[in-house]
Structures are given as structure tokens and as C-alpha cells.
Amino acid sequence: MGILLSWSNRAESAATNLAVDSEAPGLGLRAVLTPQISDLWRSDGWGAGTINLRVDLGSAQGLNLVALAAPRDGLLPSPGATVQLTADASVLDGAAALDTGLQDLGAAMAGFGLWTWVSSSAVTARYLRLQFTGIGEAYLQLGRLWVGPALITTRQASYGFSIGANDPGSTTRSGISGVRDIQRGRPYRSLAFAADTLTTAEASQIEQAALTVGTTGQVFAARLHSDAARTGCFGVFTRSPTLTRTSHLLWRADFAIEEDL
């Protein structure tokens, strides 16, 4: 039930190689490595077939998180469309390190366009395969792929967390006619929560995350690691986490995150 925080995406490493069975012209797979989820990879058809997305990290590494995102205003997979994640330390398309079985991709993405695999214990793998099986959709599209280690805290977020949304649009009313002019924006979520019972080791990792990404580098953060697709998002810290020592053994950290779209 702890907080999840990942600030290193191994899929973006120079040693990593990505490959996919199908892609539409002009909508290649490199789009899933940009922070903007609106940058899309799209398959060239899907239907009821399967599409394999393969990741070669270049060497076996410890992983706690694999996350996928698709724009909420795009074509999301229908409930019943599935994804299966397998991983292996040494064999392409192997499953010795991990096999999630079939996961309902459509149901997971119905809320905020996210699907996640999270493990409290790191899985060591070099090769990963995400196999997508459709139920008749015209195509599959994804805007973000994240593969990496993650901090999962022992204790959950403290009471008092907040969930909100910001609208970057504008509205003005004519002083003569009274007609309102609206420039619609795309509302994005803002998350704020705190951890009051961090260990010294956990606090040290959060300090490292703050020093690594600041307020411009992307992170994946979730208030509940066990429900990361609903309580988490890709985004940036609106302010870097502040660590406060509350006792000899415990620390407090405050998190404030704006969602990326």
C-alpha cells in the first residue's frame, strides 16, 4: 500500500532497443519515449490479432515498474482487449523472470489511460515483451512507455492528500455585449500527498530523485502502488519534495505533481 515513485526510465537509455510488429506511417515507436503523451505510436491495424512490442535493455537490470499511457481523448482499447508482459534475463521472448498472464488492457485504461505492472521486489530482466491482443479495434495507440526501477515506501501516504485538476484555458467576457469568449484548455490532474513515516533509506532515495529530475524531469508517481493506474500519473514535480526529519529514525516528505498530457 506504499507510495510509488520512479524517476529513471530505462526505455530511454542509449543501450535500449525497441521493436514492434506494426506501425502506421509517420507514427513510429520513438514517440512513446517523449514526455508528451499526446505524441503517438499507432499500429497499422489491429482487429482481433496480436501486436508485440519488444524491449531489449542491453543488459539485465532490476525493474519494479512497467507503465503504458495513452491519451484520454484518443481511441482507447475496449474492455476485453488484453496485454501480457513477459520478461527474461537472457532469452528473447522468454518468460523465466516474469509472466503476468493476460491483463485486461481496456478496463485498466478506461479511467486515466494508464496500464501498470508494479512489483515490490525488483525483477531482473534484459528482454521484455508486451503482447497486445485486440477484439476488433481499428488500431492500437500508445503515448508513453516507462520501464524502470522504483521506490515503493513501506507505509502508505498520510491522510490529507488532495486530488485536483487545472484548466490551462482562458475565459473573458466582452465589456460591451457581455458575450463570454472561451479558449478551451486540456485539464490536467494535480496530485499532492505526504509521507510522514519514511525510513532514512527511503528519504535518501527521494532526495536523489529530487536532485535528478528537479521540477522539469518526468517521473511516474502513485499514491498507492497497489493501484498505480488509478492513483498515479506521469508528470513533473511542481516543487521538489521537501524532506523533514521528524524523529531519530523517521522522515517526512511532501509531494506535489502536475500531470503530463
Side-chain angles (χ1 to χ4, degrees), residues 5 11 17 31 41 51 62 71 74 117 135 164 167 182 189 205 210 214 222 234 253:
L5 177 64
N17 182 61
W41 160 79
I51 298 171
W117 166 82
I135 57 170
D167 187 340
I182 297 175
R189 289 188 297 162
Q205 290 185 70
F234 290 101

Side-chain angles (χ1 to χ4, degrees), residues 49-194:
T50 61
I51 298 171
N52 294 292
L53 192 166
R54 294 179 173 88
V55 181
D56 177 1
L57 298 174
S59 62
Q61 302 178 49
L63 306 172
N64 301 85
L65 172 68
V66 177
L68 299 168
R72 295 198 297 272
D73 58 354
L75 176 65
L76 294 176
S78 302
T82 62
V83 58
Q84 181 174 6
L85 170 63
T86 55
D88 199 286
S90 57
V91 178
L92 181 67
D93 290 347
L98 174 67
D99 186 347
T100 64
L102 297 179
Q103 305 283 312
D104 194 324
L105 180 67
M109 286 192 160
F112 297 108
L114 293 174
W115 175 86
T116 61
W117 166 82
V118 179
S119 175
S120 299
S121 301
V123 169
T124 301
R126 170 178 174 174
Y127 301 102
L128 297 92
R129 182 180 67 177
L130 290 149
Q131 185 172 80
F132 305 96
T133 303
I135 57 170
E137 290 88 346
Y139 53 80
L140 171 66
Q141 64 180 17
L142 299 173
R144 195 68 169 112
L145 167 67
W146 190 283
V147 179
L151 167 66
I152 300 175
T153 62
T154 305
R155 300 289 183 88
Q156 63 185 16
S158 304
Y159 288 114
F161 60 83
S162 65
I163 305 167
N166 297 318
D167 187 340
S170 64
T171 175
T172 58
R173 188 184 293 276
S174 170
I176 298 175
S177 67
V179 173
R180 189 189 303 275
D181 177 65
I182 297 175
Q183 300 295 320
R184 290 300 307 274
R186 298 178 63 193
Y188 55 89
R189 289 188 297 162
S190 57
L191 311 178
F193 51 88

Side-chain angles (χ1 to χ4, degrees), residues 1 3 156-164 190-196 222-224 230-231 252-256:
M1 298 292 285
I3 294 168
Q156 63 185 16
S158 304
Y159 288 114
F161 60 83
S162 65
I163 305 167
S190 57
L191 311 178
F193 51 88
D196 287 331
R223 178 171 49 82
L224 292 173
R230 186 178 64 84
T231 67
R252 172 189 170 89
D254 293 284
F255 300 91

